Amino acid sequence: MTKPETTNTRAIVDAPTLTPNATRKPKLISVEEAKVMDVARMTDLFKAHQNPGQLHFMKLLGFHKIKVERAEGMYYIDQNGRKILDFFGGFGSLAFGHNHPRLLEARKKFQDEKRHEIAIAFMSQYQAAFAHNLAACSPGDLDMVFLGSSGSEAMEAAVKLAERAAGPKRPKIVYAENSFHGKTKGVLAITDGQLYRGEFKLTGNTVKVPFGDIDAIENAFKSDPEIGVIVLETIQGGGGIVQAAPEFWTKLRALCDQYGVIWVADEVQCGYGRTGRFYAFEHYNVVPDITALAKSLGGGKTAMGAMIAKRDIFMKAYGTPKTAMIHAPATFGGMGEACATSIEALNVLYDEGLIDNAADVGDYLLDRLNALKAKYPQIIKDVRGRGLMVGLEFQDFSQTLPMVLRPVVGMLDDKLKGSLSGFVGALLLRDYDCLVAFTEYNRNVIRLEPPLICQREHVDIFVDALDKLLGRGIISIVKDFVKSQVT
């Protein structure tokens, strides 16, 4: 049989014409249009698409009138060219101030070279280098690193790791009164704020103790063998910049070793050099089993969070091929430019001596604020903190008034909590171009977390402004604030 003759009969079909604009583009705002948007339009969009209720508080403080055009170093610059001294620092997210030139250059170079952002299928040289650097900055055996995008995510990873390492027979977690560990649903169970907890259904494997009470912790460990983990902020931020006694931490470490409890130190706000050491717990010569960082970890230019754990803890939880992917990094954990930025930021932190600067300038800030406390004892109740993490607590409102008015106003003190700190914060911004923050639980506290590049002259500007404001007297401060709400 002969093979039949074949011919190329394949038909050639023209490709269909694609319509490039088949999908209708909605009415979108461009980057250039966003840049020139005025405050009124910003307010309308905020109410329409973001958080209408939050606008109430922004108006009380005068924040709603500000459009930040740019920021540099210690200052914001608004739409009128006005420079605002930043003693808020994004809750500790701006260790390097605004737009540090070395961080800008590192990011620009990364972009110019078209480096990779997401390399989930491959190992990343930037993730590897950054993890190494974090381990090098961490004491003891803290050397296993998990990267995420926020403090909440880092703490979620820390708590999950601790719970797995503790084992199914020890699922309970001890946490402290007035703690703040994030707003995501897992760590919300160990965040002691009813406002944030709302009516969410949270895990029930938690035990609450007073912060800094070593006897309460020991009693909990003794009475409940199911406790396997304790989670504490080294310095409570949302609680009002609250520290435990130095001996508490050495006793805690000993108790955790005695009872086999895993200690997770939340350093998201107090870590990264803010207190004058890389980690706040280093002041007490102790090392936790797991810790977490975020805030300034991305240099104020990118979202970065990290969990750092002892190797034996990590390997117990995720050390086999079968368990390795239980809590592997998320899609955006350790993105290229974020890691490159964070690598450069760590180098800047040490190259520019910012940890030592935080200790030195922080001491100066505390000294100057304590002098104000001595000058205005009826107004300032307490000054506390370490390094550039400082709380300024005001007296209850009734205590700032003449004796004859105190009994009557005293009955309203609970409802008036936060009013004086709010008045002072609003007037510092309006009249003295100084921005401060507040705390979640003790509303009488103003929180000061300026960038670690802060110098003594910046402290002088701020404290002199506060001195002038308090010198007006409480009645004038109240009148001036009320006037600001109607003009």
Side-chain angles (χ1 to χ4, degrees), residues 266-293:
D266 183 343
E267 293 259 337
V268 167
Q269 190 169 152
C270 61
Y272 204 75
R274 180 150 294 278
T275 66
R277 300 291 295 271
F278 188 79
Y279 293 104
F281 59 71
E282 291 184 273
H283 290 287
Y284 312 111
N285 296 312
V286 291
V287 180
D289 301 298
I290 305 169
T291 189
L293 294 169

Side-chain angles (χ1 to χ4, degrees), residues 2-142:
T2 59
K3 185 176 181 181
E5 186 177 307
T6 59
T7 58
N8 186 0
T9 58
R10 186 174 58 183
I12 305 299
V13 180
D14 292 335
T17 302
L18 298 179
T19 306
N21 295 319
T23 301
R24 184 184 64 85
K25 181 180 178 180
K27 189 175 181 181
L28 302 178
I29 297 170
S30 70
V31 173
E32 286 302 310
E33 289 170 333
K35 186 169 70 175
V36 298
M37 189 181 293
D38 62 22
V39 171
R41 176 68 170 148
M42 290 162 60
T43 302
D44 288 342
L45 294 179
F46 190 87
K47 287 191 292 186
H49 305 296
Q50 291 184 264
N51 194 330
Q54 186 181 352
L55 191 61
H56 166 76
F57 299 102
M58 297 178 77
K59 286 182 175 179
L60 281 176
L61 296 166
F63 292 175
H64 70 300
K65 298 177 182 178
I66 306 295
K67 178 191 174 186
V68 177
E69 290 289 359
R70 58 189 185 88
E72 185 174 354
M74 288 290 298
Y75 292 90
Y76 289 104
I77 296 93
D78 77 358
Q79 69 271 34
N80 301 311
R82 169 193 180 198
K83 294 178 68 176
I84 299 169
L85 181 62
D86 186 5
F87 262 61
F88 171 18
F91 294 120
S93 298
L94 292 160
F96 307 97
H98 300 273
N99 290 309
H100 191 288
R102 276 182 58 177
L103 302 183
L104 295 181
E105 180 59 29
R107 291 170 69 82
K108 183 177 184 300
K109 186 174 183 181
F110 186 95
Q111 295 163 13
D112 289 345
E113 294 175 353
K114 294 183 171 60
R115 294 289 181 169
H116 55 278
E117 279 290 5
I118 298 175
I120 297 171
F122 312 104
M123 288 184 289
S124 163
Q125 62 269 52
Y126 300 106
Q127 286 185 31
F130 184 44
H132 166 272
N133 288 354
L134 278 177
C137 294
S138 302
D141 299 325
L142 291 168

Side-chain angles (χ1 to χ4, degrees), residues 173-457:
I173 302 171
V174 174
Y175 72 103
E177 293 177 357
N178 294 327
S179 60
F180 183 89
H181 298 292
K183 297 177 186 176
T184 50
K185 203 160 183 286
V187 290
L188 201 55
I190 52 171
T191 290
D192 186 34
Q194 197 54 48
L195 172 67
Y196 302 127
R197 285 174 165 238
E199 297 177 357
F200 298 111
K201 180 67 177 177
L202 304 177
T203 59
N205 62 327
T206 57
V207 177
K208 184 166 68 172
V209 296
F211 181 69
D213 189 334
I214 199 66
D215 292 333
I217 292 171
E218 184 171 14
N219 289 337
F221 287 3
K222 280 181 180 178
S223 62
D224 194 342
E226 289 192 349
I227 290 173
V229 180
I230 184 167
V231 183
L232 298 171
E233 297 160 271
T234 313
I235 298 177
Q236 288 194 322
I241 316 299
V242 177
Q243 299 181 78
E247 61 270 18
F248 168 83
W249 299 106
T250 52
K251 291 178 180 177
L252 175 69
R253 180 68 275 176
L255 278 178
C256 288
D257 292 340
Q258 180 182 347
Y259 288 92
V261 174
I262 295 171
W263 169 23
V264 178
D266 183 343
E267 293 259 337
V268 167
Q269 190 169 152
C270 61
Y272 204 75
R274 180 150 294 278
T275 66
R277 300 291 295 271
F278 188 79
Y279 293 104
F281 59 71
E282 291 184 273
H283 290 287
Y284 312 111
N285 296 312
V286 291
V287 180
D289 301 298
I290 305 169
T291 189
L293 294 169
K295 301 297 184 187
S296 288
L297 197 57
K301 296 303 296 180
T302 188
M304 179 61 77
M307 174 200 75
I308 307 96
K310 290 182 176 179
R311 186 177 186 84
D312 62 333
I313 298 286
F314 184 91
M315 295 302 287
K316 189 174 182 181
Y318 305 131
T320 69
K322 185 177 179 180
T323 59
M325 302 304 289
I326 290 174
H327 196 92
T331 306
F332 300 119
M335 288 179 67
E337 189 173 327
C339 284
T341 306
S342 300
I343 290 168
E344 184 69 358
L346 273 176
N347 279 279
V348 171
L349 186 71
Y350 287 95
D351 290 346
E352 298 191 357
L354 297 184
I355 298 176
D356 295 332
N357 187 68
D360 176 62
V361 178
D363 285 345
Y364 183 66
L365 174 60
L366 286 166
D367 287 345
R368 289 225 53 195
L369 289 175
N370 274 308
L372 277 193
K373 178 188 171 188
K375 186 175 181 179
Y376 302 106
Q378 281 186 281
I379 300 176
I380 299 176
K381 180 179 181 180
D382 194 22
V383 173
R384 55 181 177 265
R386 187 185 282 271
L388 289 174
M389 185 174 183
V390 174
L392 178 68
E393 183 174 3
F394 292 106
Q395 300 279 6
D396 283 337
F397 201 81
S398 65
Q399 300 304 303
T400 68
L401 299 173
M403 289 292 293
V404 67
L405 297 175
R406 291 184 188 180
V408 177
V409 179
M411 294 185 291
L412 300 173
D413 272 340
D414 190 56
K415 291 183 177 180
L416 290 172
K417 273 194 183 301
S419 56
L420 183 53
S421 59
F423 298 162
V424 170
L427 294 176
L428 278 171
L429 177 61
R430 190 194 73 174
D431 297 343
Y432 300 100
D433 304 331
C434 293
L435 180 65
V436 298
F438 308 94
T439 61
E440 285 88 346
Y441 304 138
N442 187 341
R443 299 190 305 277
N444 282 349
V445 177
I446 279 181
R447 175 171 13 194
L448 305 174
E449 295 183 11
L452 306 190
I453 63 169
C454 183
Q455 300 296 308
R456 291 185 175 217
E457 54 262 37

